């Protein structure tokens, strides 16, 4: 949930800060027609998909102030942490696209990997810049040689997460950043 029902005013978080979207009351929510879900990033990483949305009461629903049209692959989530603070400030609300297609090179992604532990939160989920190095296979195809999930922080103590060899097989890109809302 975004905030407790008795929390801040409409359009504010519990601390009174203006939100970059409008909460849509459940009786007005038409999922992906007039609103998109606002969810916990771990929910998204755990397998959230538009097909799983059965009833509006499962999530809080929001309408973007930017006027961007709702779509089944979009959701809003708050990013907590300092490892991406050059691009995403701690506590910023972001718009995400599920199951991104095409190249991910240089994009900010929400990733899940059983073989990693994010140093900031200790989980298998992380928000980082995706970079990959590929190599040709004998059959004419290609394969990943190395995948690097890079922080973009003013704090130099955040190190890249490097997955080489078969380590990248456990990597799942859940979503890509569309825009930082606020």
């Amino acid at each position: 949930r975004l905030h407790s029902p008795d929390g801040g005013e409409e359009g504010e978080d519990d601390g009174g800060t203006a939100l970059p979207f409008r909460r849509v009351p459940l009786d007005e929510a038409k999922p992906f027609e007039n609103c998109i879900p606002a969810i916990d990033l771990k929910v998204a990483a755990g397998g959230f998909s538009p097909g799983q949305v059965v009833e509006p009461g499962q999530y809080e629903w929001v309408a973007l102030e930017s006027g961007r049209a709702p779509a089944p692959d979009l959701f809003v989530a708050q990013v907590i942490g300092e490892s991406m603070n050059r691009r995403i400030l701690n506590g910023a609300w972001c718009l995400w696209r599920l199951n991104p297609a095409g190249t991910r090179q240089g994009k900010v992604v929400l990733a899940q990997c059983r073989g990693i532990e994010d140093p900031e939160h200790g989980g298998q989920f992380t928000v980082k810049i995706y970079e990959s190095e590929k190599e040709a296979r004998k059959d004419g195809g290609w394969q990943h040689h190395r995948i690097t999930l890079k922080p973009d922080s003013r704090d130099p103590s955040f190190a890249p997460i490097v997955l080489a060899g078969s380590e990248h097989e456990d990597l799942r890109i859940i979503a890509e950043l569309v825009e930082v809302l606020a």
Side-chain angles (χ1 to χ4, degrees), residues 22-178:
R22 180 182 58 80
R23 291 183 182 142
V24 177
L26 287 178
D27 61 343
E28 295 175 19
K30 295 177 186 163
F32 309 111
E33 290 180 34
N34 70 344
C35 56
I36 59 175
I39 61 175
D40 183 293
L41 284 178
K42 288 184 181 176
V43 171
F48 166 84
S49 69
Q52 292 174 329
V53 178
V54 177
E55 58 187 65
Q58 286 184 274
Y59 306 98
E60 288 205 45
W61 295 87
V62 299
L64 300 175
E65 297 297 328
S66 66
R68 181 183 293 267
D73 61 347
L74 296 177
F75 68 95
V76 170
Q78 188 175 35
V79 175
I80 304 298
E82 296 293 338
S83 70
M84 291 295 294
N85 65 20
R86 289 181 198 257
R87 295 177 190 227
I88 306 171
L89 295 178
N90 186 4
W93 289 94
C94 297
L95 181 63
W96 298 90
R97 183 174 317 285
L98 283 170
N99 306 314
T103 184
R104 297 173 181 119
Q105 191 72 8
K107 294 182 179 177
V108 176
V109 298
L110 168 61
Q112 176 185 19
C113 188
R114 287 182 292 182
I116 66 170
E117 187 168 308
D118 186 276
E120 200 162 19
H121 300 291
Q124 297 176 343
F125 309 104
T126 190
V127 173
K128 299 285 185 283
I129 301 167
Y130 180 96
E131 288 187 0
S132 71
E133 298 172 28
K134 298 174 184 168
E135 60 188 13
R137 293 190 317 230
K138 290 180 183 178
D139 67 2
W142 60 268
Q143 64 188 17
H144 289 289
H145 171 68
R146 176 188 345 256
I147 295 174
T148 305
L149 301 173
K150 293 175 50 175
D152 190 9
S153 179
R154 291 176 189 86
D155 181 344
S157 69
F158 290 103
I161 298 168
V162 179
L163 304 169
S166 63
E167 289 178 313
H168 62 77
E169 292 173 7
D170 289 334
L171 179 68
R172 184 169 162 231
I173 304 302
I174 307 300
E176 74 181 21
L177 179 69
V178 175

